[in-house]
Amino acid sequence: ATTWDVLVVGGGAGGLAAAASLLKRRPSLSIAVIEPADTHYYQPAWTLVGGGAFDPADTARPMASVMPRGVKWIQSRVEAFVPEQNQVVLDDGGRVSYRMLVAAPGLELHLDGVEGLRDGLGRNGVTSNYLFEYAPYTWQCVRDLRQGRALFTQPPMPIKCAGAPQKALYLSCDHWRRQHRLSNIDVRFHNAGGVLFGVETFVPPLMEYMRRYQVGLNFNSTLKAVDAGARKAWFVDTDADGNRQEREEAFDMLHVTPPQRAPRCVRDSALANDAGWLDADPDTLRHNRFENVFAIGDASGTGNAKTAAAVRKQAPVVAVNLLATLDGKPMSGRYQGYGACPLTVEKGKVILAEFGYQGALQPSFPLDPTKARSSYWWLKSKAMPRIYFDLMLKGREWLTG
Ligand code: FAD
């Protein structure tokens, strides 16, 4: 049986960026990507789809069309990692062997973590930009709502694109404001966490938008159950002393950001840390115990913001350090924890939050990062999708690395 030089698990942003980066550096490598899905999604644009500002079809591409030329695509799902034997087990029971592994299976939307959610999505105003099939329904709900109550939820961290729950809110509110409906709509944000945004610098300008849209803010308030038929949601609120209280709220629209966790194949494996994520070194992205394993993307427990922007900076670090390890040389690549969250505070304007580990600001442009700009809206809606597909997934890093 074949032993691949590099086996990549997951053909999402991280897996494909890493495979492309490796092949650019060393075309002689034999690389296989294990990925079950027929379609690859550009998820960052789903926020814009939910705001009526992006064609959903442009976020989906056939997987075959984005696989880097020269890699072998194994269309299958990994059931289990067996790092002690340098193998993975597939869903049909077959095994695949490797010399080096790149683990990039993304994260899992834990829909069953909220009672009634799976069943309720897509009807009676219950929606989520986190799923391709429902992001267009968000925009339909926003257009249809003339009065009543709209709830937006954020689950406990970590989640991918931590700003996305409030981006959905801002774009909805902006539409209602332009349509002169906002004063008839009671908008509430239920955040399981205690702060509006994890990096303090960006909190004041975001609070200003919350005020402008007259949003009721509920911190430490976690969505537990939904009854789409009755248009009711239940939250558990925790006060400063840790007392928990259940609260029922009726709604006309409910935008849910589902709870998120590491995929089961990672959680149940020897590769996981205590929280279930890939136990990788935050600087080198190499696994802390298995030296021939690297992690990239949302499944990593590296503490950066889980974003495609992070993947863009991680891919060359993984490639350089993996090749060094393969060659028995010291690793020279260092990841600074970069991630970016373009906050779509109104249609046509974005606050571009770029930061690394411990919230250290890492702006790409010498401009006040707290200011909402139309140039950043252009960057988010026009430039980034092209950078993603034409540069990042093709390993063309001299422009973006
Ligand atoms: P993914 O791209 O999700 O890919 C994971 C892949 O692994 C999938 O193709 C899946 O099929 C495959 N897989 C899963 N399990 C297995 C298995 N067992 N075996 C084999 N393959 C498997 N990022 C930004 O940079 N900016 C943004 O503005 C932004 N906004 C976002 C808004 C929304 C609504 C969402 C949902 C995401 C957003 N993101 C944003 C986050 C970004 O999309 C992710 O961080 C990025 O896709 C992570 O890449 P990944 O490869 O780790 O995971």
Side-chain angles (χ1 to χ4, degrees), residues 10 12-14 35-36 43-44 78 105-106 130 161 167 297-298 306-309 342 380:
E35 166 60 62
Q43 302 167 39
V78 166
Y130 274 74
C161 198
K167 296 184 205 177
D298 295 346
K306 295 185 186 301
T307 56
K380 158 98 191 145

Side-chain angles (χ1 to χ4, degrees), residues 61-68 73 394:
R61 292 205 183 172
M63 190 62 74
S65 75
V66 293
M67 272 293 153
W73 174 20
K394 296 205 155 67

Side-chain angles (χ1 to χ4, degrees), residues 241-388:
D241 301 322
N243 301 313
R244 292 153 67 89
Q245 203 177 2
E246 198 176 299
R247 176 188 345 189
E248 179 184 301
E249 282 194 1
F251 62 80
D252 298 283
M253 173 182 164
L254 171 67
H255 180 275
V256 179
T257 300
Q260 298 170 30
R261 59 185 185 181
R264 193 181 48 78
C265 64
V266 172
R267 279 194 331 263
D268 292 353
S269 77
L271 299 178
N273 64 17
D274 289 344
W277 305 96
L278 292 165
D279 188 14
D281 179 78
D283 302 322
T284 63
L285 304 178
R286 188 163 77 177
H287 196 272
N288 282 322
R289 282 162 285 130
F290 296 96
E291 290 204 339
N292 62 339
V293 177
F294 284 80
I296 185 167
D298 295 346
S300 307
T302 39
N304 53 277
K306 295 185 186 301
T307 56
V311 163
R312 183 162 57 80
K313 298 283 184 182
Q314 290 171 345
V317 175
V318 165
V320 164
N321 289 347
L322 185 151
L323 291 174
T325 304
L326 198 57
D327 296 342
K329 296 202 175 122
M331 297 184 286
S332 61
R334 291 290 177 274
Y335 171 57
Q336 319 277 349
Y338 176 87
C341 191
L343 292 139
T344 50
V345 286
E346 50 186 296
K347 200 172 214 161
K349 278 198 179 164
V350 160
I351 293 175
L352 184 58
E354 298 176 282
F355 50 91
Y357 290 133
Q358 275 79 47
L361 299 187
Q362 295 183 4
S364 301
F365 308 97
L367 301 168
D368 175 1
T370 64
K371 201 168 163 340
R373 293 174 198 276
S374 46
S375 53
Y376 290 160
W377 176 272
W378 174 85
L379 188 74
K380 158 98 191 145
S381 59
K382 295 284 189 288
M384 287 318 291
R386 303 203 60 166
I387 290 172
Y388 179 91

Side-chain angles (χ1 to χ4, degrees), residues 53-266:
F54 204 90
D55 183 348
D58 289 342
T59 70
R61 292 205 183 172
M63 190 62 74
S65 75
V66 293
M67 272 293 153
R69 213 179 299 258
V71 310
K72 162 83 176 160
W73 174 20
I74 301 173
Q75 192 168 13
S76 195
R77 175 175 292 278
V78 166
E79 270 301 305
F81 292 95
V82 195
E84 301 85 355
Q85 294 170 29
N86 299 327
Q87 285 184 331
V88 300
V89 182
L90 304 180
D91 50 4
D92 65 3
R95 288 188 170 224
V96 183
S97 301
Y98 58 81
R99 293 172 71 199
M100 307 295 295
L101 178 74
V102 177
L107 56 68
E108 182 183 296
L109 298 180
H110 183 29
L111 295 182
D112 296 322
V114 174
E115 197 188 319
L117 177 59
R118 189 182 287 280
D119 173 56
L121 273 169
R123 61 192 176 94
N124 282 5
V126 181
T127 189
S128 180
N129 287 347
Y130 274 74
L131 292 117
F132 174 72
E133 40 296 35
Y134 300 119
Y137 182 56
T138 301
W139 178 229
Q140 188 188 321
C141 293
V142 170
R143 270 175 307 164
D144 288 351
L145 191 67
R146 306 204 161 256
Q147 58 186 37
R149 182 179 293 151
L151 306 178
F152 294 81
T153 75
Q154 177 171 318
M157 293 288 137
I159 62 170
K160 53 181 159 186
C161 198
Q166 56 190 295
K167 296 184 205 177
L169 179 151
Y170 297 134
L171 288 183
S172 304
C173 287
D174 188 48
H175 180 74
W176 295 326
R177 183 183 62 86
R178 287 166 197 256
Q179 300 292 316
H180 308 289
R181 295 184 212 159
L182 189 57
S183 55
N184 298 324
I185 301 174
D186 171 16
V187 183
R188 301 183 183 182
F189 188 51
H190 284 269
N191 184 344
V195 291
L196 188 54
F197 197 75
V199 182
E200 224 174 307
T201 309
F202 299 102
V203 172
L206 296 174
M207 280 302 259
E208 187 50 43
Y209 274 98
M210 288 291 187
R211 263 192 295 276
R212 184 194 294 190
Y213 296 134
Q214 297 189 309
V215 177
L217 290 176
N218 301 276
F219 292 107
N220 306 305
S221 181
T222 309
L223 179 67
K224 290 292 175 191
V226 180
D227 183 340
R231 291 187 184 253
K232 280 189 179 152
W234 288 269
F235 297 86
V236 169
D237 294 2
T238 311
D239 69 16
D241 301 322
N243 301 313
R244 292 153 67 89
Q245 203 177 2
E246 198 176 299
R247 176 188 345 189
E248 179 184 301
E249 282 194 1
F251 62 80
D252 298 283
M253 173 182 164
L254 171 67
H255 180 275
V256 179
T257 300
Q260 298 170 30
R261 59 185 185 181
R264 193 181 48 78
C265 64
V266 172

